[in-house]
Amino acid sequence: VCSSDLGEGAAKPPDKRQFQKPVADAVEADINQNVRWRGRRHPYRLAQVKPEGKVDKVGQGENAMAETEVLRRMTIVEGDITRLEVAAIVNAANETLLGGGGVDGAIHAAAGPALLEECRGLGGCPTGEARITRGYALAARHVIHTVGPIWQGGGEGEEALLAGCYRGSLTLARDRDLKAIAFPAISTGVYRFPPARAAEIAVATVAQFLADDRIPEKVIFCCFGEVSADAHRAALSGIG
């Protein structure tokens, strides 16, 4: 489970002009159409991602689209996922759905007690699956709770279960016409999933889904720290 530092220094919001760099131009323009930042602080930093490379087809069926179009719909930011104002944020939960540490605890704390009350009525969630609730006091309208696998060396189906987390969350978003969704780096905290491999699975699974579906229109990988952001950048480069 990823941790989220809600106590970071209350720095003044950076001038948005600092993002007007050649590499980040396309990404920032895309982000600003889909995400608004809440509060006085701006703890996010745009990852330096620019879709490049060959134009290919990914996905299957008549809805398959150009690879570069899929890449444009994926964005990396660094910061606190609880402050993203999107249709849905994803919570890296445990099977009880009753809160925990890291990003799970941070989301429950930011959403308020009503989130826990709704979660009590869901009856838990198996590893690799997802459930959806309202967002309550969060900036996001919904929370999609998914339970990532605990890393046990890779021989217990962890990779398939992690892919299921992303696929199930995206399916809930699509079925409810939620146009923008943000993911933490599921299972890479206390669940010990290797960050680089987790990022590869996350990006590949999301790319495949977006190739075959128009919704969600935007997927944000909200990374807590540079190590996670770098892993996601490398994974995006691998499919570009």
Side-chain angles (χ1 to χ4, degrees):
V1 178
C2 298
S3 63
S4 182
D5 184 0
L6 298 180
E8 59 190 332
K12 292 177 67 177
D15 189 335
K16 287 186 179 180
R17 288 176 297 180
Q18 71 176 309
F19 295 128
Q20 303 305 314
K21 300 175 183 178
V23 177
D25 274 350
V27 179
E28 192 208 13
D30 204 17
I31 272 188
N32 288 338
Q33 293 175 9
N34 294 279
V35 184
R36 291 175 294 177
W37 312 109
R38 195 184 212 191
R40 293 182 300 171
R41 294 179 295 165
H42 191 316
Y44 297 88
R45 189 165 74 237
L46 287 179
Q48 300 300 297
V49 178
K50 183 177 180 182
E52 294 177 341
K54 63 182 183 301
V55 175
D56 198 358
K57 293 287 184 179
V58 291
Q60 299 177 359
E62 61 183 17
N63 292 327
M65 62 189 70
E67 185 176 90
T68 49
E69 181 180 346
V70 169
L71 287 170
R72 288 189 197 101
R73 293 165 65 192
M74 294 188 286
T75 299
I76 301 168
V77 299
E78 291 180 42
D80 175 8
I81 197 170
T82 69
R83 295 177 62 209
L84 279 175
E85 192 169 349
V86 290
I89 61 172
V90 175
N91 179 23
N94 58 53
E95 289 190 342
T96 70
L97 300 185
L98 301 181
V103 73
D104 191 8
I107 287 173
H108 274 270
L115 177 60
L116 178 60
E117 288 305 308
E118 184 174 356
C119 285
R120 290 188 193 280
L122 295 179
C125 177
T127 298
E129 296 185 14
R131 303 289 186 267
I132 191 168
T133 64
R134 292 172 55 194
Y136 298 99
L138 288 163
R141 298 197 308 273
H142 298 276
V143 180
I144 296 174
H145 308 261
T146 191
V147 183
I150 298 172
W151 181 257
Q152 300 181 67
E156 301 297 324
E158 297 99 312
E159 295 191 350
L161 288 168
L162 184 60
C165 291
Y166 286 92
R167 195 177 302 111
S169 298
L170 291 165
T171 298
L172 287 173
R174 180 199 64 197
D175 291 349
R176 287 159 178 77
D177 198 34
L178 304 179
K179 296 201 169 42
I181 179 175
F183 285 96
I186 300 166
S187 282
T188 60
V190 296
Y191 283 10
R192 305 184 307 276
F193 208 109
R197 183 59 187 140
E200 290 171 354
I201 292 168
V203 169
T205 304
V206 169
Q208 184 65 60
F209 191 95
L210 296 184
D212 292 326
D213 286 280
R214 298 285 178 178
I215 302 294
E217 296 174 354
K218 171 64 63 180
V219 174
I220 300 165
F221 298 105
C222 188
C223 302
F224 183 70
E226 190 172 354
V227 171
S228 179
D230 283 346
H232 285 79
R233 279 194 289 266
L236 279 170
S237 297
I239 66 170

